[in-house]
Amino acid sequence: MLVLGIETTCDETAVAVVKDGSEILSNIIFSQVDLHRKFGGVFPEVASRSHVDKIIPVLNEALILANISLEDIDLIAVASHPGLIGSILVGLNIAKSLSLALSKPFIGINHIEAHLYASMMGENELLFPALGVVISGGHTMLLKILDIGKYEKIGSTIDDAIGESFDKVASILDLPYPGGPEIEKLANDGVDKYKFLAAKTKDSPYNFSFSGLKTKVLYTVKGQSSNKDCPNIIQDSDKKDIATSFQTCAFTDLIEKSLLAVKEFDLKAVYFGGGVSNNQALRKMFEEKKSTPIFWPLKGLSLDNAAMIAGLGFHKFKNNLLSDGLDILASPSYHLDFFS
Ligand code: KG4
Ligand code: ZN
């Protein structure tokens, strides 16, 4: 079964063709990062306009690379939530138009769920119940995965998402957007000099709070500066140590809570999803402490992409043969029925 995947929830315009849920025939991604850098983050209207410009060229490229025509497609899967509404609407309307014009079924996909699927794609055997760890620019969540499509929430951030905190700390350190890869690079050469401690969260041992950590970084930077007029100008070696200390604190917190959940809920494996799972230091730290098998997103599928949308679309359609009507709506948040 050939599935066309479409992803436009944030700042990547992506189209992929995936066969039977895991064989990637094409996976084209246009990243808008250069357009947003001067704003220090994603500027929603700029994102929507760029999706409008790029969606057709990216679609054509994906079809050419997969060596198929639109008529060959069996299903159209599109990320319909959560994300930036103006951006989602571009992909969703293209998907609806193709579905109507070609008389092919289409299905709206949860972007977060698709991030998790990126680490299941191509695995012959899935080990459930498992822990799902979603660590992206917009979300930080621990989930119990009972099956594809069946999840229970264990915990989530009560303020900033982990990727967002990498981006904000990078901005404090005067590094370009997106901050995650920049912090990772700096952190490779620093030491955990500041030994930051993660904030305690009241309601659940599985919730996260990253905004206090970001403030600690801010005050550490201000304390280091020798230039009163430019409090953000500090020595490169201090920047490296701050990056290492921040990253170590955020990942130690994530790993401790993940391992606690694996133990308490007797989970058989850990599946990661989202841009932060691209971080090699996190992978190394987690692998050293793991108590069960860990699955990371396939190469190139940590960040936003449409192959994960197409792959998950295949499973959802195959399992219950449900497709969506043309009346489904774009949504900025995940639907409540995401959790069973
Ligand atoms: O999953 P994603 O592409 O988009 C969302 O759905 O949000 O994640 C983007 C986030 C950004 O915050 C970015 O800074 C972060 O992932 N990120 C990283 C790394 N690469 C991307 N964070 C830490 N280390 C990285 N290597
Ligand atoms: Zn994402």
Side-chain angles (χ1 to χ4, degrees), residues 9-12 111 115 135-139 162-167 177-184 247 251 273-280 302-304:
T9 58
C10 192
D11 59 342
E12 271 87 20
H111 175 90
H115 266 309
I135 38 175
S136 69
H139 295 88
I162 187 166
E164 185 184 357
S165 74
F166 269 82
D167 295 335
Y177 173 83
E182 301 289 332
I183 297 274
E184 178 176 8
Q247 186 176 271
F251 289 163
V276 181
S277 67
N278 225 6
N279 188 297
Q280 298 305 312
S302 294
L303 297 166
D304 288 353

mmCIF file of all heavy atoms in Angstrom, residues 9-12 111 115 135-139 162-167 177-184 247 251 273-280 302-304, ligand 1:
data_model
loop_
_atom_site.group_PDB
_atom_site.id
_atom_site.type_symbol
_atom_site.label_atom_id
_atom_site.label_comp_id
_atom_site.label_asym_id
_atom_site.label_seq_id
_atom_site.Cartn_x
_atom_site.Cartn_y
_atom_site.Cartn_z
ATOM 1 N N THR A 9 3.018 21.141 10.104
ATOM 2 C CA THR A 9 2.477 21.664 11.366
ATOM 3 C C THR A 9 3.284 22.819 11.947
ATOM 4 O O THR A 9 2.789 23.572 12.772
ATOM 5 C CB THR A 9 2.398 20.566 12.454
ATOM 6 O OG1 THR A 9 3.711 20.045 12.652
ATOM 7 C CG2 THR A 9 1.446 19.458 12.075
ATOM 8 N N CYS A 10 4.574 22.931 11.546
ATOM 9 C CA CYS A 10 5.391 23.996 12.140
ATOM 10 C C CYS A 10 6.266 24.647 11.073
ATOM 11 O O CYS A 10 5.738 25.333 10.199
ATOM 12 C CB CYS A 10 6.200 23.421 13.301
ATOM 13 S SG CYS A 10 6.969 24.703 14.295
ATOM 14 N N ASP A 11 7.558 24.408 11.094
ATOM 15 C CA ASP A 11 8.420 25.134 10.151
ATOM 16 C C ASP A 11 9.142 24.220 9.170
ATOM 17 O O ASP A 11 10.193 24.569 8.669
ATOM 18 C CB ASP A 11 9.415 26.042 10.902
ATOM 19 C CG ASP A 11 10.315 25.271 11.858
ATOM 20 O OD1 ASP A 11 9.982 24.123 12.201
ATOM 21 O OD2 ASP A 11 11.344 25.831 12.265
ATOM 22 N N GLU A 12 8.586 23.037 8.911
ATOM 23 C CA GLU A 12 9.101 22.189 7.834
ATOM 24 C C GLU A 12 7.946 21.874 6.892
ATOM 25 O O GLU A 12 6.866 21.496 7.336
ATOM 26 C CB GLU A 12 9.651 20.847 8.369
ATOM 27 C CG GLU A 12 11.110 20.863 8.752
ATOM 28 C CD GLU A 12 11.329 21.317 10.179
ATOM 29 O OE1 GLU A 12 10.356 21.253 10.962
ATOM 30 O OE2 GLU A 12 12.452 21.749 10.497
ATOM 31 N N HIS A 111 0.476 14.643 15.090
ATOM 32 C CA HIS A 111 1.912 14.862 14.861
ATOM 33 C C HIS A 111 2.772 14.246 15.978
ATOM 34 O O HIS A 111 3.837 13.668 15.715
ATOM 35 C CB HIS A 111 2.131 16.383 14.769
ATOM 36 C CG HIS A 111 3.541 16.811 14.662
ATOM 37 N ND1 HIS A 111 4.188 16.965 13.459
ATOM 38 C CD2 HIS A 111 4.446 17.139 15.613
ATOM 39 C CE1 HIS A 111 5.431 17.364 13.679
ATOM 40 N NE2 HIS A 111 5.615 17.476 14.973
ATOM 41 N N HIS A 115 5.603 11.260 15.783
ATOM 42 C CA HIS A 115 6.997 11.333 16.259
ATOM 43 C C HIS A 115 7.370 10.015 16.942
ATOM 44 O O HIS A 115 8.467 9.502 16.757
ATOM 45 C CB HIS A 115 7.167 12.478 17.257
ATOM 46 C CG HIS A 115 7.628 13.772 16.630
ATOM 47 N ND1 HIS A 115 8.729 13.835 15.801
ATOM 48 C CD2 HIS A 115 7.159 15.033 16.707
ATOM 49 C CE1 HIS A 115 8.919 15.092 15.410
ATOM 50 N NE2 HIS A 115 7.962 15.836 15.933
ATOM 51 N N ILE A 135 9.934 14.225 23.030
ATOM 52 C CA ILE A 135 10.751 15.391 23.416
ATOM 53 C C ILE A 135 10.977 16.247 22.175
ATOM 54 O O ILE A 135 11.906 16.025 21.412
ATOM 55 C CB ILE A 135 12.089 14.955 24.073
ATOM 56 C CG1 ILE A 135 12.687 13.714 23.395
ATOM 57 C CG2 ILE A 135 11.900 14.699 25.542
ATOM 58 C CD1 ILE A 135 14.058 13.328 23.948
ATOM 59 N N SER A 136 10.099 17.219 21.994
ATOM 60 C CA SER A 136 10.195 18.046 20.788
ATOM 61 C C SER A 136 10.246 19.520 21.179
ATOM 62 O O SER A 136 10.359 19.864 22.361
ATOM 63 C CB SER A 136 8.996 17.757 19.881
ATOM 64 O OG SER A 136 7.830 18.253 20.484
ATOM 65 N N GLY A 137 10.131 20.381 20.162
ATOM 66 C CA GLY A 137 10.159 21.815 20.429
ATOM 67 C C GLY A 137 8.869 22.276 21.107
ATOM 68 O O GLY A 137 8.846 23.270 21.821
ATOM 69 N N GLY A 138 7.779 21.534 20.898
ATOM 70 C CA GLY A 138 6.483 21.959 21.432
ATOM 71 C C GLY A 138 5.973 21.090 22.560
ATOM 72 O O GLY A 138 5.048 21.493 23.280
ATOM 73 N N HIS A 139 6.516 19.889 22.738
ATOM 74 C CA HIS A 139 5.960 18.957 23.730
ATOM 75 C C HIS A 139 7.033 18.182 24.475
ATOM 76 O O HIS A 139 8.092 17.883 23.914
ATOM 77 C CB HIS A 139 5.009 17.958 23.049
ATOM 78 C CG HIS A 139 3.808 18.624 22.472
ATOM 79 N ND1 HIS A 139 3.806 19.122 21.191
ATOM 80 C CD2 HIS A 139 2.602 18.932 23.007
ATOM 81 C CE1 HIS A 139 2.632 19.699 20.972
ATOM 82 N NE2 HIS A 139 1.887 19.598 22.053
ATOM 83 N N ILE A 162 10.936 20.726 26.447
ATOM 84 C CA ILE A 162 12.392 20.605 26.577
ATOM 85 C C ILE A 162 13.120 21.255 25.379
ATOM 86 O O ILE A 162 14.112 21.973 25.554
ATOM 87 C CB ILE A 162 12.815 19.126 26.804
ATOM 88 C CG1 ILE A 162 14.323 19.043 27.113
ATOM 89 C CG2 ILE A 162 12.448 18.242 25.643
ATOM 90 C CD1 ILE A 162 14.758 17.703 27.677
ATOM 91 N N GLY A 163 12.588 21.047 24.165
ATOM 92 C CA GLY A 163 13.235 21.655 22.983
ATOM 93 C C GLY A 163 13.169 23.174 23.041
ATOM 94 O O GLY A 163 14.130 23.880 22.696
ATOM 95 N N GLU A 164 12.019 23.656 23.527
ATOM 96 C CA GLU A 164 11.843 25.107 23.684
ATOM 97 C C GLU A 164 12.885 25.652 24.674
ATOM 98 O O GLU A 164 13.442 26.731 24.468
ATOM 99 C CB GLU A 164 10.428 25.314 24.237
ATOM 100 C CG GLU A 164 9.960 26.715 24.381
ATOM 101 C CD GLU A 164 8.563 26.733 25.053
ATOM 102 O OE1 GLU A 164 7.970 25.655 25.329
ATOM 103 O OE2 GLU A 164 8.084 27.849 25.305
ATOM 104 N N SER A 165 13.168 24.886 25.732
ATOM 105 C CA SER A 165 14.151 25.374 26.715
ATOM 106 C C SER A 165 15.550 25.370 26.100
ATOM 107 O O SER A 165 16.337 26.275 26.372
ATOM 108 C CB SER A 165 14.082 24.571 28.022
ATOM 109 O OG SER A 165 14.641 23.303 27.853
ATOM 110 N N PHE A 166 15.862 24.397 25.236
ATOM 111 C CA PHE A 166 17.146 24.443 24.512
ATOM 112 C C PHE A 166 17.206 25.712 23.648
ATOM 113 O O PHE A 166 18.223 26.396 23.598
ATOM 114 C CB PHE A 166 17.318 23.209 23.607
ATOM 115 C CG PHE A 166 18.012 22.056 24.284
ATOM 116 C CD1 PHE A 166 17.303 21.187 25.105
ATOM 117 C CD2 PHE A 166 19.371 21.833 24.117
ATOM 118 C CE1 PHE A 166 17.928 20.127 25.740
ATOM 119 C CE2 PHE A 166 20.015 20.771 24.753
ATOM 120 C CZ PHE A 166 19.293 19.910 25.561
ATOM 121 N N ASP A 167 16.088 26.016 22.982
ATOM 122 C CA ASP A 167 16.073 27.198 22.097
ATOM 123 C C ASP A 167 16.228 28.482 22.909
ATOM 124 O O ASP A 167 16.931 29.406 22.502
ATOM 125 C CB ASP A 167 14.777 27.224 21.279
ATOM 126 C CG ASP A 167 14.679 26.042 20.322
ATOM 127 O OD1 ASP A 167 15.741 25.508 19.940
ATOM 128 O OD2 ASP A 167 13.559 25.630 19.973
ATOM 129 N N TYR A 177 19.086 30.270 16.265
ATOM 130 C CA TYR A 177 17.955 29.337 16.291
ATOM 131 C C TYR A 177 18.144 28.313 15.158
ATOM 132 O O TYR A 177 18.600 28.692 14.088
ATOM 133 C CB TYR A 177 16.649 30.114 16.089
ATOM 134 C CG TYR A 177 15.440 29.232 15.944
ATOM 135 C CD1 TYR A 177 14.804 28.734 17.070
ATOM 136 C CD2 TYR A 177 14.989 28.856 14.678
ATOM 137 C CE1 TYR A 177 13.723 27.888 16.931
ATOM 138 C CE2 TYR A 177 13.907 28.010 14.541
ATOM 139 C CZ TYR A 177 13.277 27.530 15.668
ATOM 140 O OH TYR A 177 12.219 26.689 15.544
ATOM 141 N N PRO A 178 17.812 27.044 15.308
ATOM 142 C CA PRO A 178 17.309 26.396 16.516
ATOM 143 C C PRO A 178 18.456 26.067 17.473
ATOM 144 O O PRO A 178 19.539 25.662 17.051
ATOM 145 C CB PRO A 178 16.649 25.132 15.983
ATOM 146 C CG PRO A 178 17.356 24.826 14.710
ATOM 147 C CD PRO A 178 17.826 26.136 14.149
ATOM 148 N N GLY A 179 18.170 26.202 18.758
ATOM 149 C CA GLY A 179 19.227 26.144 19.751
ATOM 150 C C GLY A 179 19.735 24.749 20.092
ATOM 151 O O GLY A 179 20.877 24.606 20.530
ATOM 152 N N GLY A 180 18.888 23.716 19.908
ATOM 153 C CA GLY A 180 19.277 22.370 20.349
ATOM 154 C C GLY A 180 20.634 21.925 19.820
ATOM 155 O O GLY A 180 21.542 21.605 20.600
ATOM 156 N N PRO A 181 20.813 21.907 18.495
ATOM 157 C CA PRO A 181 22.093 21.440 17.955
ATOM 158 C C PRO A 181 23.259 22.339 18.373
ATOM 159 O O PRO A 181 24.375 21.858 18.563
ATOM 160 C CB PRO A 181 21.893 21.509 16.432
ATOM 161 C CG PRO A 181 20.419 21.570 16.219
ATOM 162 C CD PRO A 181 19.823 22.174 17.438
ATOM 163 N N GLU A 182 23.003 23.630 18.559
ATOM 164 C CA GLU A 182 24.062 24.572 18.960
ATOM 165 C C GLU A 182 24.520 24.279 20.389
ATOM 166 O O GLU A 182 25.705 24.249 20.697
ATOM 167 C CB GLU A 182 23.547 26.021 18.897
ATOM 168 C CG GLU A 182 23.058 26.450 17.535
ATOM 169 C CD GLU A 182 24.205 26.626 16.541
ATOM 170 O OE1 GLU A 182 25.321 26.924 16.975
ATOM 171 O OE2 GLU A 182 23.948 26.443 15.336
ATOM 172 N N ILE A 183 23.536 24.050 21.265
ATOM 173 C CA ILE A 183 23.869 23.729 22.666
ATOM 174 C C ILE A 183 24.631 22.404 22.705
ATOM 175 O O ILE A 183 25.626 22.257 23.413
ATOM 176 C CB ILE A 183 22.581 23.600 23.532
ATOM 177 C CG1 ILE A 183 21.823 24.925 23.577
ATOM 178 C CG2 ILE A 183 22.888 23.069 24.919
ATOM 179 C CD1 ILE A 183 22.247 25.894 24.619
ATOM 180 N N GLU A 184 24.154 21.428 21.921
ATOM 181 C CA GLU A 184 24.826 20.122 21.923
ATOM 182 C C GLU A 184 26.299 20.272 21.539
ATOM 183 O O GLU A 184 27.186 19.701 22.178
ATOM 184 C CB GLU A 184 24.122 19.146 20.961
ATOM 185 C CG GLU A 184 24.851 17.810 20.929
ATOM 186 C CD GLU A 184 24.196 16.729 20.080
ATOM 187 O OE1 GLU A 184 23.225 17.023 19.365
ATOM 188 O OE2 GLU A 184 24.684 15.588 20.154
ATOM 189 N N GLN A 247 22.451 21.149 29.770
ATOM 190 C CA GLN A 247 22.075 19.912 29.069
ATOM 191 C C GLN A 247 22.097 18.709 30.022
ATOM 192 O O GLN A 247 21.191 17.869 30.009
ATOM 193 C CB GLN A 247 23.046 19.694 27.902
ATOM 194 C CG GLN A 247 22.665 18.520 27.037
ATOM 195 C CD GLN A 247 23.568 18.379 25.827
ATOM 196 O OE1 GLN A 247 23.309 18.949 24.783
ATOM 197 N NE2 GLN A 247 24.620 17.598 25.943
ATOM 198 N N PHE A 251 18.748 16.477 30.848
ATOM 199 C CA PHE A 251 18.724 15.060 30.464
ATOM 200 C C PHE A 251 18.705 14.133 31.679
ATOM 201 O O PHE A 251 18.064 13.081 31.654
ATOM 202 C CB PHE A 251 19.907 14.727 29.548
ATOM 203 C CG PHE A 251 19.769 15.327 28.159
ATOM 204 C CD1 PHE A 251 20.873 15.440 27.332
ATOM 205 C CD2 PHE A 251 18.544 15.768 27.693
ATOM 206 C CE1 PHE A 251 20.746 15.985 26.048
ATOM 207 C CE2 PHE A 251 18.413 16.308 26.418
ATOM 208 C CZ PHE A 251 19.517 16.421 25.596
ATOM 209 N N GLY A 273 10.672 9.921 20.559
ATOM 210 C CA GLY A 273 10.246 10.690 19.395
ATOM 211 C C GLY A 273 10.483 12.166 19.608
ATOM 212 O O GLY A 273 10.482 12.651 20.751
ATOM 213 N N GLY A 274 10.741 12.898 18.534
ATOM 214 C CA GLY A 274 10.887 14.354 18.617
ATOM 215 C C GLY A 274 12.320 14.820 18.429
ATOM 216 O O GLY A 274 13.268 14.055 18.625
ATOM 217 N N GLY A 275 12.457 16.097 18.055
ATOM 218 C CA GLY A 275 13.749 16.652 17.651
ATOM 219 C C GLY A 275 14.867 16.501 18.674
ATOM 220 O O GLY A 275 16.023 16.282 18.302
ATOM 221 N N VAL A 276 14.535 16.581 19.967
ATOM 222 C CA VAL A 276 15.595 16.516 20.983
ATOM 223 C C VAL A 276 16.231 15.120 21.026
ATOM 224 O O VAL A 276 17.376 14.955 21.456
ATOM 225 C CB VAL A 276 15.047 16.958 22.363
ATOM 226 C CG1 VAL A 276 16.127 16.932 23.428
ATOM 227 C CG2 VAL A 276 14.444 18.360 22.282
ATOM 228 N N SER A 277 15.507 14.100 20.533
ATOM 229 C CA SER A 277 16.070 12.743 20.548
ATOM 230 C C SER A 277 17.212 12.602 19.539
ATOM 231 O O SER A 277 17.875 11.574 19.475
ATOM 232 C CB SER A 277 14.990 11.685 20.297
ATOM 233 O OG SER A 277 14.492 11.793 18.995
ATOM 234 N N ASN A 278 17.459 13.644 18.760
ATOM 235 C CA ASN A 278 18.605 13.667 17.853
ATOM 236 C C ASN A 278 19.911 13.863 18.621
ATOM 237 O O ASN A 278 20.987 13.634 18.075
ATOM 238 C CB ASN A 278 18.441 14.877 16.916
ATOM 239 C CG ASN A 278 18.742 14.530 15.494
ATOM 240 O OD1 ASN A 278 18.966 13.374 15.166
ATOM 241 N ND2 ASN A 278 18.789 15.532 14.645
ATOM 242 N N ASN A 279 19.821 14.290 19.873
ATOM 243 C CA ASN A 279 21.006 14.669 20.652
ATOM 244 C C ASN A 279 21.814 13.420 21.046
ATOM 245 O O ASN A 279 21.311 12.539 21.748
ATOM 246 C CB ASN A 279 20.536 15.439 21.900
ATOM 247 C CG ASN A 279 21.672 16.033 22.663
ATOM 248 O OD1 ASN A 279 22.524 15.311 23.176
ATOM 249 N ND2 ASN A 279 21.694 17.358 22.751
ATOM 250 N N GLN A 280 23.061 13.377 20.603
ATOM 251 C CA GLN A 280 23.889 12.180 20.820
ATOM 252 C C GLN A 280 24.280 12.015 22.296
ATOM 253 O O GLN A 280 24.464 10.901 22.772
ATOM 254 C CB GLN A 280 25.151 12.224 19.938
ATOM 255 C CG GLN A 280 24.852 12.231 18.445
ATOM 256 C CD GLN A 280 23.974 11.068 18.002
ATOM 257 O OE1 GLN A 280 24.222 9.908 18.349
ATOM 258 N NE2 GLN A 280 22.918 11.367 17.242
ATOM 259 N N SER A 302 14.109 12.097 13.297
ATOM 260 C CA SER A 302 13.901 12.696 14.637
ATOM 261 C C SER A 302 13.165 14.019 14.504
ATOM 262 O O SER A 302 12.228 14.299 15.239
ATOM 263 C CB SER A 302 15.239 12.987 15.326
ATOM 264 O OG SER A 302 15.916 11.817 15.606
ATOM 265 N N LEU A 303 13.617 14.825 13.565
ATOM 266 C CA LEU A 303 12.983 16.131 13.362
ATOM 267 C C LEU A 303 11.723 15.952 12.527
ATOM 268 O O LEU A 303 11.452 14.854 12.028
ATOM 269 C CB LEU A 303 13.973 17.067 12.664
ATOM 270 C CG LEU A 303 15.249 17.366 13.471
ATOM 271 C CD1 LEU A 303 16.304 17.997 12.587
ATOM 272 C CD2 LEU A 303 14.931 18.271 14.652
ATOM 273 N N ASP A 304 10.968 17.049 12.362
ATOM 274 C CA ASP A 304 9.703 16.941 11.634
ATOM 275 C C ASP A 304 9.913 16.411 10.217
ATOM 276 O O ASP A 304 10.810 16.861 9.501
ATOM 277 C CB ASP A 304 9.027 18.321 11.575
ATOM 278 C CG ASP A 304 8.485 18.720 12.943
ATOM 279 O OD1 ASP A 304 8.516 17.889 13.863
ATOM 280 O OD2 ASP A 304 8.020 19.866 13.066
HETATM 281 O O1 KG4 B 1 10.319 17.546 16.763
HETATM 282 P P1 KG4 B 1 10.777 18.853 16.238
HETATM 283 O O2 KG4 B 1 11.472 18.877 14.901
HETATM 284 O O3 KG4 B 1 9.624 19.887 16.152
HETATM 285 C C1 KG4 B 1 8.517 19.919 16.990
HETATM 286 O O4 KG4 B 1 7.571 19.135 16.787
HETATM 287 O O5 KG4 B 1 8.588 20.754 17.922
HETATM 288 O O6 KG4 B 1 11.764 19.452 17.355
HETATM 289 C C2 KG4 B 1 12.410 20.658 17.214
HETATM 290 C C3 KG4 B 1 13.142 20.904 18.522
HETATM 291 C C4 KG4 B 1 13.778 22.296 18.607
HETATM 292 O O7 KG4 B 1 13.429 22.861 19.848
HETATM 293 C C5 KG4 B 1 15.266 21.995 18.523
HETATM 294 O O8 KG4 B 1 16.078 22.936 19.208
HETATM 295 C C6 KG4 B 1 15.339 20.627 19.156
HETATM 296 O O9 KG4 B 1 14.207 19.953 18.691
HETATM 297 N N1 KG4 B 1 16.551 19.889 18.750
HETATM 298 C C7 KG4 B 1 17.508 19.486 19.602
HETATM 299 C C8 KG4 B 1 18.518 18.883 18.815
HETATM 300 N N2 KG4 B 1 18.122 18.923 17.506
HETATM 301 C C9 KG4 B 1 16.905 19.541 17.497
HETATM 302 N N3 KG4 B 1 17.612 19.595 20.942
HETATM 303 C C10 KG4 B 1 18.727 19.109 21.526
HETATM 304 N N4 KG4 B 1 19.739 18.529 20.831
HETATM 305 C C11 KG4 B 1 19.681 18.395 19.489
HETATM 306 N N5 KG4 B 1 20.677 17.835 18.812
#
